[in-house]
Amino acid sequence: MTKPSNSALILIEYVNDWLSPTGGIYPQFQDREQVDTAIANSKIALGQARARGMHVIHASLKFESTYKVLGESKYGLRKMMRDYGSFLGEQADFFPGFEPAEGEHVVRERAGGSSVFVGTTLDGYLRNNGIFDIYLAGFSLRQCVESSMRNAHDLGYHTNVLWDASAGYTRKQQEDFLAEIAPFYANALTTQDFVAQT
């Protein structure tokens, strides 16, 4: 691992909509054990990143009630977010234990894209701070985390995914990600691997 000041932990979608039992997206997870494990491991990774002095970046979405920024949204995630009423009000608040600390960068200006790089300040923030080693974790593994991983790879970042601090909707999604997707775009690490790095 490079110097902590040149590396970042990027937490994707750690908000009530995903992680609270009252969240609108929460019921979509069919593998509750995977989600609970991801939350527990994410807390470990976040504590480790802060202790090391790494950059910590919180990426999520927050919309106004008309979803005007999404446009007509005929299909895909932009339509689904409107249909589910996602990322509004308290549902878009950070889940307890994952609130940004003072000085941590927050990315919320995505206009419905699945990658946290598209239409946001993230790439500029990373490059302006000399950060090229990044660690991604979050929800959902096969949508926002995977899209962000692919984008980061193409932008030239040294990309790592903390796969057991992330969750797909099913166990098969996680298994397929590890076997078929991650090897082409990133280094797949466990939280224990991350903690063990010096």
Side-chain angles (χ1 to χ4, degrees), residues 8-193:
L9 175 65
I10 302 172
L11 300 174
I12 301 172
E13 310 293 8
Y14 285 77
V15 295
N16 291 328
D17 231 346
W18 285 100
L19 302 182
S20 170
T22 61
I25 304 172
Y26 180 91
Q28 301 305 312
F29 286 113
Q30 297 171 40
D31 184 354
R32 295 303 320 163
E33 182 183 358
Q34 185 184 165
V35 176
D36 293 341
T37 298
I39 292 171
N41 284 334
S42 295
K43 288 181 179 177
I44 293 169
L46 177 57
Q48 185 72 15
R50 285 172 170 165
R52 286 181 185 165
M54 291 174 62
H55 292 258
V56 175
I57 298 166
H58 304 264
S60 186
L61 293 157
K62 190 164 193 173
F63 296 116
E64 38 72 39
S65 59
T66 64
Y67 291 96
K68 191 168 184 177
V69 71
L70 298 183
E72 196 170 339
S73 307
K74 291 183 178 181
Y75 50 80
L77 288 176
R78 287 186 296 133
K79 182 178 187 305
M80 291 170 69
M81 286 186 285
R82 183 193 296 276
D83 290 348
Y84 279 107
S86 303
F87 306 109
L88 296 175
E90 291 182 0
Q91 296 294 347
D93 290 346
F94 288 100
F95 187 67
F98 294 99
E99 301 90 346
E102 185 177 354
E104 293 178 347
H105 190 56
V106 177
V107 174
R108 278 207 155 157
E109 61 271 23
R110 277 187 288 158
S114 56
S115 169
V116 297
F117 286 90
V118 176
T120 75
T121 58
L122 181 56
D123 186 51
Y125 177 90
L126 294 171
R127 293 183 190 280
N128 290 339
N129 285 282
I131 301 165
F132 281 91
D133 284 324
I134 63 171
Y135 298 79
L136 305 174
F139 308 94
S140 171
L141 180 61
R142 291 304 310 272
Q143 284 75 39
C144 295
V145 176
E146 182 176 322
S147 294
S148 300
M149 172 194 70
R150 289 172 180 259
N151 208 170
H153 171 272
D154 291 349
L155 288 168
Y157 290 99
H158 307 141
T159 308
N160 304 274
V161 176
L162 303 183
W163 64 266
D164 66 348
S166 306
Y169 295 123
T170 64
R171 181 68 60 181
K172 185 176 186 304
Q173 285 187 349
Q174 190 181 64
E175 291 169 352
D176 289 349
F177 174 85
L178 287 170
E180 301 173 10
I181 308 299
F184 296 98
Y185 301 97
N187 184 27
L189 299 175
T190 64
T191 303
Q192 187 174 5
D193 294 333

